[in-house]
Amino acid sequence: RIGALKELSQTVPNFHAPDYGSRMTSSIYVRGLGARIDQPVIGLNIDNVPVLNKDNFDTELADAERIEVLRGPQSTLYGRNTMGGVVNVYTLSPLAYQGVRLTAEYGSGDSYRFRASSYCKLSPDLGMAVTGYYTRTGGFFDNLYTGEKCDRERLGGGRWKLQWRNRKGLRIDNTLSFSVLDQGGYPYAYVGEEIVHDGQVVIRKGEISYNDPCSYRRTTVSDGLTVRYDAEKFAVSSITSYQYSDDAMILDQDFTPLSYFTLKQARREHTVTEDVVFRSRDGRRYGWLFGAFGFYRRGTMEAPVHFKRTGIEKLILENANTSPDLHYTMDADELPLCSDFRMPSYGAALYHESRFTLGHWRITAGIRADYECTRLRYHSKAGMDCSLSVNGGAPAPIRIDIDETNEIAHSYTEILPKFSVMYCFDEMRNLYVSVARGYKAGGFNTQMFSDILQEKIKWQMASGIPYEEPDLMSYEPEYSWNYELGGHFSCMDGAVRGDFAVFWIDVRDQQLTVFPAGTATGRMMTNAGRTRSVGAEAALQFAPWQLLEINTAYGYTDARFVRYDNGIGDFKDNHIPYAPQHTFSAGVAWTLPTGVKWLGDLVLQAGVRCAGRIWWNEENTLSQPFYALTDASVRIEHKHYSLDFWGRNLAGTGYDVFYFKSIGNEFVQRGRPRTFGITLNINI
C-alpha cells in the first residue's frame, strides 16, 4: 500500500526519504549518498519514463503494481544521477486487470484522500485505464504568528494509459499523466536563543512563527510512449517522453516574525527524452544489449529576493556603516534583488551490456559513454536609493545600481563501467560480487545569487569599487566507485526468503549542501574532497504458515569524510550530514478468516520504523538520535472491498527530520505526530 516514494523508507534498508515540509524538497539518501538540492542521487522511472527533475519525485503513485529498488550505481543502463540506485515504478496494466477501483480515506489533521480508476479491454489486444485522485491535508503544525496551520496541502491529478499488443510481436504503450499541487508554508521551528526586538521577545525556542506568506504550487504534465517489437532473435524498443513542470515557491526566508526578506522562486521546465534499446532474446549462454539515450531540457527561473525594513537595517546598512566617517541611511521599506535564469541543457549516451552464463556462473559486463552540456544564462539587477553623510555633514542622495548579464557553460564526458559475477545455486539462491562506477552531474548555485547581489551592494557602499565575486556559482560533478558483495537466499520451501549485501563506496568530489557562515541568506552546493561509505544491509521475509507473514529490514552505513577542509575547519573522519547511520523496519501481518463469506478475513498488522543517528552539520555537533515509530492497523479484507483502521507513530515519538540555518539562526522541522485514520477500498 505504498502511495509515495518516501514511504519506501518503511521497507527498504539504507533507503531514507525524509518527509520534509515541501514536496519540492524530495531528498533521498541511499548508503550515505544524497543531496538536498539540485541533482538527485537516485533515478526514478514511472512506467519506463525517467523523471529527470528531482522536485517532481514526491507525487502520488496511484495504482502501483510493483516497485523495484536497485541500490548501488546503475549508470550503465540508466545513466546520470543514479549513483545511489534506481527506483522503477510500474502501474497496473489494463490488459492484465479489468475492473473499477475506488478508495476513500480520512485521517488526522483533517486529511482526506480519494481515488478512482477504471481498467477495461476495448478489444482483445487493446486496453485502457483512467485514474483520478485528490488528497487534502488540513495540517499538523501551527504558525503562532498567524494562528493558522502552516503545512496544509491540496494535490490532485490523473493518468490515462493505453496499451496495444500485436500477435506479430509489436507492443505500444502510452501513458499521459498530470498533477496539480498547492501547499502551505513550512513547519520550521526555531531552536536558538530567544530573539528580542525593540525590547520584546518575538520568538522563543521551539516555536514556529513567521509573518510573511509561505507556499508552494506545482503543475506537471508528462507523456511517455513506448514502442517495442519482439523478433525471433532480438527485441528493439523506443521510449519517448515529454515532461512539463511549472512551479512557484514563496518563502518568508528568515522564518521569524521580523521583516527581513522574502523569496519568490518561479520555475518552468520542458524536457524531451529518447531511449532506443536493442537486446537479445535467446540469452541461455550469451545475452547482449545496446542502447542510445538523449535528452534536452529548457528551463527558466525567476528568483527575486525582497529585503524588508529589518533586513535593510541589519544586513545592508549595519554592514556598510563600518567607517566613522561615512554614514548611510535609507528611507525605503523594501529593496528588491532580482535574478532571472535561463538553464538549457542536453546530453547523449551510448551503452552496452553483455551477459554470460557458464553453468552456475553468470557474468555481466557493461559500459556507458555519457556526454552532457549545461548552461546558465543569468541577468541580475538591483537598485538602491540612499543618503550618505561624510564626516557628519549633511546627507547627500546617492544611487547604487547593479545590472549584469552573463553566461556560464560546462560540459562533461564520462565513461562508466560495471562488472559483476554471480554464482547461482538455483533460481532463488545466489552469491554475487560487483564493481561499478557512479557519476552525478555538476550544476549551478542559483540560490546564492541574492547573497552575491547583497555583497556587491555592501561592497560598493563601503569602498565604492566593484565587488570581485568568488567562484561560488557552479559546482563540479561527483564520482564514485562502488564495491559490493551480497546474495539472495531461500529455505523451508520458500517460507524464509531474504537478501543481504556489504558495500564500500569511494567518492571523489562529493556534492554537499552547506549553509555559508555569517548572515548569508541562501544555501549552496559545494564539493568535498573525498568521502567513503561502508556498510551492510539485509532483508528477511518469514512466513511460518500461510496466514502469518513477518518482514524485517536493517541497514547500517558509516559515511565519513576522508578529505574535506573548507578553509574554516578540517572535517576529516567526521560523519557526512543527513544520511542516517541505521535504518530498521519490522512488520507482522496475521490473517484470521472470519468464516463469514460476505465479511472476508480479519487482518491484524503491526510494525516499527527506525532511523538514526542523523548528523546535521559537518562539525558533527548537532544530530538527531536514533528514533522508532510504531504503526498498527486492523483491516476487514474481502475480494471486493477492504476497510482499514490504522494508526501511525502510536507512541507519539518526537523527532526532527531536517535542520538548517538562515542568517545565522537555526531551525528544525519536527516529524509528524501521532495520527489515526480509516481507509475504504472497493474493487468492482
Side-chain angles (χ1 to χ4, degrees):
R1 302 195 302 278
I2 290 176
L5 197 64
K6 56 194 172 190
E7 295 173 5
L8 288 173
S9 300
Q10 301 175 10
T11 56
V12 181
N14 278 330
F15 185 101
H16 183 59
D19 187 8
Y20 283 157
S22 167
R23 288 185 182 262
M24 177 183 178
T25 314
S26 49
S27 302
I28 300 174
Y29 301 90
V30 182
R31 295 179 171 179
L33 305 177
R36 280 208 61 253
I37 59 176
D38 295 345
Q39 312 290 351
V41 75
I42 194 167
L44 172 64
N45 300 302
I46 301 178
D47 286 335
N48 296 321
V49 175
V51 182
L52 298 189
N53 190 335
K54 180 179 73 68
D55 296 348
N56 299 332
F57 276 19
D58 194 355
T59 188
E60 185 86 358
L61 301 179
D63 288 345
E65 180 186 35
R66 69 184 192 275
I67 300 176
E68 299 174 348
V69 182
L70 310 178
R71 284 160 293 179
Q74 306 294 324
S75 302
T76 301
L77 299 185
Y78 296 102
R80 62 199 287 276
N81 300 342
T82 58
M83 289 180 58
V86 168
V87 176
N88 295 320
V89 180
Y90 300 95
T91 60
L92 275 174
S93 166
L95 293 176
Y97 172 84
Q98 291 83 46
V100 175
R101 297 159 61 94
L102 304 173
T103 298
E105 179 179 283
Y106 178 75
S108 302
D110 197 23
S111 300
Y112 301 86
R113 183 164 65 95
F114 302 100
R115 182 189 300 164
S117 55
S118 175
Y119 295 79
C120 63
K121 275 188 176 183
L122 303 179
S123 71
D125 299 325
L126 180 64
M128 183 178 73
V130 179
T131 302
Y133 57 86
Y134 175 76
T135 65
R136 175 194 181 277
T137 300
F140 298 92
F141 299 95
D142 293 310
N143 181 346
L144 299 181
Y145 188 90
T146 63
E148 299 177 352
K149 299 293 183 182
C150 57
D151 57 332
R152 61 166 183 84
E153 178 184 284
R154 311 288 186 274
L155 173 65
R159 182 177 66 243
W160 176 72
K161 187 172 184 176
L162 194 68
Q163 292 185 318
W164 178 72
R165 300 290 183 265
N166 184 298
R167 295 182 181 179
K168 296 182 180 180
L170 182 62
R171 310 179 187 180
I172 299 178
D173 296 357
N174 190 84
T175 303
L176 173 66
S177 62
F178 74 94
S179 68
V180 178
L181 171 69
D182 181 10
Q183 279 189 297
Y186 303 85
Y188 295 150
Y190 177 70
V191 293
E193 298 297 326
E194 62 183 28
I195 296 178
V196 179
H197 183 72
D198 291 336
Q200 294 185 344
V201 177
V202 296
I203 189 170
R204 294 179 172 85
K205 185 174 183 179
E207 293 182 345
I208 302 173
S209 182
Y210 49 84
N211 58 324
D212 287 305
C214 286
S215 64
Y216 178 61
R217 296 179 176 87
R218 181 182 72 198
T219 300
T220 62
V221 178
S222 72
D223 187 81
L225 174 65
T226 300
V227 180
R228 174 168 173 162
Y229 174 70
D230 292 328
E232 182 179 355
K233 297 292 186 180
F234 70 93
V236 57
S237 61
S238 168
I239 304 171
T240 307
S241 77
Y242 166 74
Q243 301 165 46
Y244 170 77
S245 176
D246 187 352
D247 66 1
M249 176 181 64
I250 299 175
L251 282 183
D252 179 346
Q253 208 169 359
D254 58 277
F255 293 104
T256 70
L258 300 176
S259 296
Y260 272 92
F261 48 86
T262 62
L263 165 69
K264 181 177 181 179
Q265 177 181 290
R267 180 166 50 186
R268 183 173 297 171
E269 185 175 275
H270 301 266
T271 304
V272 178
T273 69
E274 175 64 37
D275 199 1
V276 178
V277 184
F278 292 83
R279 54 169 54 87
S280 63
R281 297 195 66 195
D282 183 10
R284 286 174 294 179
R285 290 186 174 272
Y286 172 67
W288 52 265
L289 178 149
F290 290 94
F293 174 79
F295 78 93
Y296 175 75
R297 297 172 69 176
R298 182 170 65 86
T300 62
M301 185 171 72
E302 299 176 356
V305 173
H306 289 262
F307 276 76
K308 299 198 170 182
R309 190 64 221 174
T310 304
I312 293 171
E313 293 174 354
K314 298 292 185 180
L315 303 180
I316 303 293
L317 297 179
E318 285 189 7
N319 286 286
N321 293 326
T322 57
S323 170
D325 301 327
L326 303 176
H327 184 73
Y328 288 91
T329 58
M330 181 178 174
D331 296 329
D333 291 329
E334 191 168 291
L335 171 62
L337 308 181
C338 300
S339 296
D340 299 331
F341 306 96
R342 302 293 181 268
M343 299 170 288
S345 63
Y346 58 89
L350 296 173
Y351 55 93
H352 166 70
E353 195 168 273
S354 289
R355 298 180 301 277
F356 303 88
T357 301
L358 304 172
H360 291 281
W361 295 92
R362 296 179 184 177
I363 302 172
T364 302
I367 191 167
R368 184 184 184 99
D370 199 284
Y371 171 79
E372 181 173 340
C373 180
T374 180
R375 296 178 181 274
L376 176 67
R377 303 185 182 105
Y378 65 90
H379 178 208
S380 300
K381 61 180 180 179
M384 178 176 174
D385 292 306
C386 57
S387 298
L388 174 62
S389 175
V390 180
N391 295 323
I398 63 171
R399 179 170 178 80
I400 296 176
D401 276 309
I402 298 174
D403 194 334
E404 296 180 349
T405 302
N406 206 342
E407 180 176 327
I408 311 172
H410 295 296
S411 61
Y412 315 102
T413 302
E414 303 297 333
I415 302 298
L416 305 171
K418 182 178 182 178
F419 180 80
S420 67
V421 177
M422 176 183 290
Y423 183 83
C424 300
F425 300 95
D426 52 39
E427 289 300 316
M428 297 294 295
R429 298 179 297 167
N430 57 63
L431 291 173
Y432 69 87
V433 61
S434 69
V435 179
R437 190 169 191 257
Y439 155 65
K440 190 150 77 85
F444 304 103
N445 279 315
T446 55
Q447 296 192 24
M448 283 298 297
F449 273 73
S450 61
D451 286 297
I452 293 174
L453 281 173
Q454 178 186 338
E455 290 297 323
K456 288 181 177 181
I457 290 175
K458 293 187 296 185
W459 192 270
Q460 287 195 25
M461 293 172 70
S463 63
I465 60 176
Y467 171 73
E468 295 295 332
E469 60 194 49
D471 185 18
L472 301 176
M473 293 187 179
S474 59
Y475 55 90
E476 297 301 317
E478 176 180 333
Y479 308 93
S480 73
W481 280 100
N482 187 95
Y483 309 92
E484 184 173 338
L485 170 67
H488 302 78
F489 59 88
S490 175
C491 60
M492 297 176 62
D493 295 326
V496 177
R497 292 179 294 159
D499 61 82
F500 65 93
V502 294
F503 59 87
W504 178 289
I505 307 174
D506 183 22
V507 185
R508 306 296 177 96
D509 295 327
Q510 180 162 351
Q511 296 167 4
L512 298 175
T513 304
V514 298
F515 306 98
T519 57
T521 59
R523 61 206 65 179
M524 60 178 287
M525 189 77 79
T526 188
N527 294 94
R530 185 176 178 182
T531 63
R532 68 104 178 107
S533 181
V534 60
E537 56 209 17
L540 176 68
Q541 184 181 70
F542 178 43
W545 59 85
Q546 187 178 4
L547 303 180
L548 180 65
E549 184 175 293
I550 301 171
N551 290 278
T552 62
Y554 171 71
Y556 168 74
T557 298
D558 183 44
R560 297 177 182 265
F561 295 106
V562 176
R563 184 178 66 253
Y564 179 39
D565 189 333
N566 64 357
I568 301 176
D570 186 353
F571 306 113
K572 184 178 183 295
D573 296 329
N574 285 10
H575 293 275
I576 298 173
Y578 296 105
Q581 288 182 281
H582 304 270
T583 62
F584 175 76
S585 66
V588 57
W590 188 15
T591 302
L592 301 173
T594 63
V596 182
K597 185 176 181 180
W598 62 266
L599 187 59
D601 299 330
L602 178 66
V603 182
L604 306 178
Q605 291 183 306
V608 61
R609 296 172 287 122
C610 310
R613 175 177 300 261
I614 304 173
W615 298 98
W616 296 131
N617 56 3
E618 291 80 9
E619 297 85 357
N620 287 178
T621 57
L622 301 169
S623 66
Q624 165 61 51
F626 184 85
Y627 63 90
L629 308 177
T630 53
D631 306 330
S633 69
V634 178
R635 184 167 74 252
I636 300 295
E637 191 171 83
H638 187 271
K639 66 177 181 178
H640 292 305
Y641 72 89
S642 67
L643 185 63
D644 199 348
F645 301 89
W646 50 264
R648 297 171 185 147
N649 191 11
L650 293 176
T653 302
Y655 63 102
D656 298 331
V657 296
F658 178 49
Y659 162 91
F660 73 101
K661 285 184 179 181
S662 179
I663 59 172
N665 295 326
E666 297 176 283
F667 298 86
V668 296
Q669 181 188 328
R670 309 296 189 193
R672 287 199 177 189
R674 181 188 297 111
T675 56
F676 298 93
I678 179 172
T679 304
L680 172 65
N681 292 293
I682 299 176
N683 300 317
I684 303 174

